[in-house]
Amino acid sequence: MKTLRLTDVVKTYGETLALRKASLEAHSGEVVAVCGENGAGKSTLMSILAGSRQPTSGHIEIDGERATIDNPHRAFELGIRTVYQELSLLPNLSVAENLYLGKLPRGRLGTIDWQSVFADARRDMAAVGMDHVDVRRQVADFAVATQQMIEIAKAIQVRPDVLILDEPTGVLTSMESERLFEKIRELKATGTIILYISHRLEEVIDIADVIVVLKDGQVVDTMRRAEASKDRLVTAMVGRPLESIYPKRVPPQAERLMQVEGFGRTGVFDDVNFTLHRGEILGFFGLVGSGRTEVMRALFGADRSERGTVTLEGKVMGRPTPARSIGAGIGFLTEERKADGLALDADILDNASLASMDRASIGPFLNRDSQRTLVGNMTGELDVRPPDLGHVVRRMSGGNQQKVVLAKWLLLNGLKVLILDEPTRGVDIATKVQIYQLVANLAAEGVGIVMVSSEMPELLGLTHRICVMRQGRIVAEFDPEKASEHEIFVAAANVSMEAA
Amino acid sequence: MTDNIMTTQNRRRFASFNISRAGKANLVFALGILALIVATSLMSDAFLTERNMTNVARQMVTTGLLSIGMLVVILSGGIDLSVGSVVAFAGLLAAGLQETMPIGAAIAIALSVGVAVGIINGVFVAYFRLQPFIVTLATMGAVRGALYIYSETPTYASDPFFISVLGSGKLFGVVPYTFLIFLVCIPIMWMYLNHTKSGRSVIAIGMNPEAVRLAGVDVRVQTTVAYVICGFFAALAGVLLSARLGISQPNVGVGYELDAIAAVVIGGGVLGGGGGTVGGMFGGVLALAVIDNVLNLFNVQSYYQQLVKGVIILIAVIVRRKPQG
């Protein structure tokens, strides 16, 4: 395939215009990035190419000829492969089976030739730099980041003409992202057209040849890499310049709020020590497997800890459990809101009030009206949309879902410490800015914030200090106003300056 | 992503569309039951008589009480197959023990057996993390075995209060007391599910137990509470059934769990958690009772009755199927 062109594509859902005359052109060997806020129409555009949705009007041309992609199978035939944000692997099957599902090779007796399946699967995984993955183990055994790499390996195994990647690095750490970028460059050299959707502006500028910015279903800006800058991208996406993304830092207070000493669980993390001051935003950085999420989960009591003490306001706390932490005023936004942050089929009211039912109850009985008032005030403050508290959370955008989780923790009586694990993952830029502002405001009010993130810019832009974890320990600490992304990455990966 | 592109206004419209879809299903059912009642009363003189209505009301009691408990367990994401056995055991105890002790004590012991079975179910499901289906299948067999050990023969009730007042007494000579007890339990259950911390927690557990655990709720305790409630209502159903019949047999209650599950599902309950209301459950119980009665009045063989019930459950599930996407 030489060129892929979309012309004046319109897509309506009922009365809503998802795409209004969006046009896009991509050539063989080109990486075209599609940027835009949530709801700008990126995913609709991609699903039209993947054959899962039909345009209301407009057309698709392949090498100058009109093409109809009326179902996902047709897209496959045309050599279009898509890696979606939501993983589509079967968790209980082995990595190898997932890679060759529906086309497992047969041996002489008509039985599956497992040896060649495993060999091919190992080759596919090696191709994305994941040689260490045991392809016979089931997918569920691996971390999300590895699963994402399996998904990518599956898509490129067939040498597609067009590869669509929807937020591929959302769950990847810097190291895996680097591997992915290498692979993208390789594919580019062989003439593959790559459509790349991402929120992360740095990597878009890094990897794309052409960047297309969508806003409200329209292409509002198209630029070649040489012309691109974060400022121009952000301004095009949100109509607001970059400087205003991170709020001004207010220095933390001198008083020690929480002290963690000798915290450990055998084989996972050990000898974790840090102090959190009142009003401080303490960042945590680390690669997948460094133990950053595990420490936070144990600190809140979501998982077990075996050693160490946690002191809050001078008082030594017992071994953390969720109930104990909540009672002490510690909130915890987990890494994966859909897995353990939200009851997706419940409404905003039930989700947001889940951790603070005591605030609106007399004995075992709930006062639903006062619950409604408490939650309504909070979601109003956070600008949750829709404002209707009876709205089922499943039908909300990622950004608004995250605000519901935040509301749940902000509603804790006497919130003192808020632990945030990847608070801006899968969240659009406008909501990110709101979350940054919220975090800064909380800190200014004296709440201590512990924030894990794999997005270095937000750690550098928002926090007062950054702890770096590697192999279950805190190995370095940085002042974000002086440190560079490079230094921090080197500390996290323990590689020499040359290799990084 | 399709949701994301919608404007706020449209999302609201979309939401109300969903509500009206569930509402539409309820309306369809209500109209269906109503049409059935009207049609039957036109075709059969026996239907709208006081005697038949009393019959329908009484028949609703057992399935109704079982469904109340089953609703809670289903909302928690589980299922309880042991309720039929609990009905029989509680009935036997209530009838058998009244010879030797005051009737109040006999009933209390019968009810506590239901609670005990609920605790056993809850502990195995919540603390040992075993599948509810398997656990309650095991207790279903074990309780049935235990009650045969207690008594292999039918037990006759003798207490006059038990038989004449609780069993066959009627308020103002019209409404059976057993039915009245069932009716009183409905708002209590509604209150529990909508206005207590425990009730909201149980519902949320059925949707995402991990999120509930991390919100500081003791998921194991609350899950156990759901099974205890279910066991209690099953025992209550057993006591009232033996009071109505004046006799309790060890083989009573076989297959009752299926009627209760059917009533909850017809009323919009979702196996595995995530949906179900007290109102819907009541509609399900009413529908099953009316259909049973109608088929009886027209002398339809019981085999056909089972067939018809099966078809109705399938239709109910299809109508209530969630829209894709």
Side-chain angles (χ1 to χ4, degrees), chain A residues 174-379:
Chain A
S174 318
M175 205 140 69
E176 288 133 349
S177 302
E178 255 330 299
R179 285 186 188 142
L180 173 64
F181 295 157
E182 263 169 47
K183 197 67 208 172
I184 290 177
R185 289 189 192 101
E186 249 176 77
L187 288 169
K188 223 175 97 156
T190 62
T192 309
I193 295 173
I194 293 157
L195 293 174
Y196 191 93
I197 304 178
S198 180
H199 282 122
R200 299 186 176 180
L201 306 182
E202 298 83 10
E203 67 184 34
V204 163
I205 295 172
D206 192 35
I207 195 78
D209 299 298
V210 178
I211 303 170
V212 175
V213 180
L214 278 177
K215 188 174 189 325
D216 299 330
Q218 273 175 313
V219 175
V220 291
D221 199 358
T222 304
M223 58 196 100
R224 304 214 58 92
R225 181 186 6 207
E227 310 157 344
S229 70
K230 269 167 89 172
D231 263 317
R232 180 166 166 189
L233 277 172
V234 172
T235 311
M237 281 162 71
V238 287
R240 176 165 40 184
L242 186 61
E243 306 87 73
S244 57
I245 283 191
Y246 299 110
K248 253 188 84 132
R249 261 183 266 248
V250 177
Q253 301 169 25
E255 186 191 340
R256 290 179 171 186
L257 179 61
M258 186 170 74
Q259 263 173 294
V260 178
E261 286 162 301
F263 205 52
R265 182 164 92 231
T266 308
V268 185
F269 56 89
D270 208 355
D271 200 26
V272 172
N273 302 289
F274 66 88
T275 302
L276 179 71
H277 298 88
R278 207 177 276 285
E280 184 175 37
I281 306 169
L282 178 61
F284 269 80
F285 184 80
L287 305 181
V288 161
S290 64
R292 58 202 166 128
T293 293
E294 288 77 3
V295 167
M296 297 311 149
R297 288 183 62 88
L299 191 56
F300 177 73
D303 294 333
R304 220 156 38 83
S305 56
E306 289 163 356
R307 292 178 290 281
T309 56
V310 179
T311 313
L312 188 71
E313 291 182 325
K315 270 180 284 190
V316 177
M317 291 176 57
R319 196 63 50 228
T321 66
R324 199 172 272 167
S325 295
I326 286 168
I330 302 174
F332 177 44
L333 179 134
T334 57
E335 189 179 13
E336 285 180 65
R337 60 179 166 268
K338 286 184 184 173
D340 49 23
L342 292 165
L344 289 172
D345 290 315
D347 59 16
I348 297 176
L349 178 65
D350 277 338
N351 271 292
S353 62
L354 198 55
S356 57
M357 284 195 279
D358 287 337
R359 285 186 71 182
S361 61
I362 306 153
F365 296 103
L366 282 173
N367 183 340
R368 297 288 272 173
D369 285 334
S370 68
Q371 260 195 328
R372 232 168 255 129
T373 314
L374 279 171
V375 171
N377 288 343
M378 186 56 74
T379 53

Side-chain angles (χ1 to χ4, degrees), chain A residues 13 15-16 18 39 43 53 297 300 302 322-323 326 334 338-340 342-343 345-346 350 354-355 357-358 361 363-366 368 385 387 391 395 397 409, chain B residues 1-8 10-15 18 191 194-198 200-201 204 207-208 210-217 274 322-323 325:
Chain A
Y13 296 103
E15 295 163 38
T16 317
S43 290
R53 294 191 195 282
R297 288 183 62 88
F300 177 73
I326 286 168
T334 57
K338 286 184 184 173
D340 49 23
L342 292 165
D345 290 315
D350 277 338
L354 198 55
M357 284 195 279
D358 287 337
S361 61
F365 296 103
L366 282 173
R368 297 288 272 173
R385 287 182 209 180
H391 199 84
R395 302 207 162 273
S397 70
W409 298 117
Chain B
M1 195 71 184
T2 44
D3 309 357
N4 302 341
I5 43 102
M6 294 185 181
T7 62
T8 309
N10 268 287
R11 267 191 222 161
R12 240 179 253 143
R13 202 170 297 155
F14 199 63
N18 276 320
M191 189 73 193
N194 291 293
H195 290 273
T196 68
K197 287 190 276 189
S198 173
R200 292 325 283 175
S201 300
M207 295 171 176
N208 188 344
E210 186 60 9
V212 180
R213 184 178 76 90
L214 295 186
V217 175
K322 278 189 183 165

Side-chain angles (χ1 to χ4, degrees), chain A residues 59 76 93 122 134 138 186 229 232 255 368 457 473:
Chain A
H59 55 264
F76 271 45
L93 293 185
R122 255 175 245 127
D134 179 355
Q138 60 174 22
E186 249 176 77
S229 70
R232 180 166 166 189
E255 186 191 340
R368 297 288 272 173
R473 286 162 197 270

Side-chain angles (χ1 to χ4, degrees), chain B residues 145-210:
Chain B
L147 72 91
Y148 270 109
I149 293 168
Y150 172 75
S151 168
E152 276 181 54
T153 51
T155 308
Y156 291 89
S158 56
D159 187 273
F161 166 80
F162 190 67
I163 301 169
S164 329
V165 182
L166 191 60
S168 41
K170 295 177 188 168
L171 183 70
F172 307 129
V174 185
V175 191
Y177 284 132
T178 50
F179 184 65
L180 217 56
I181 291 172
F182 165 57
L183 281 189
V184 169
C185 290
I186 296 229
I188 292 175
M189 186 42 62
W190 180 85
M191 189 73 193
Y192 168 73
L193 286 175
N194 291 293
H195 290 273
T196 68
K197 287 190 276 189
S198 173
R200 292 325 283 175
S201 300
V202 164
I203 292 172
I205 286 168
M207 295 171 176
N208 188 344
E210 186 60 9

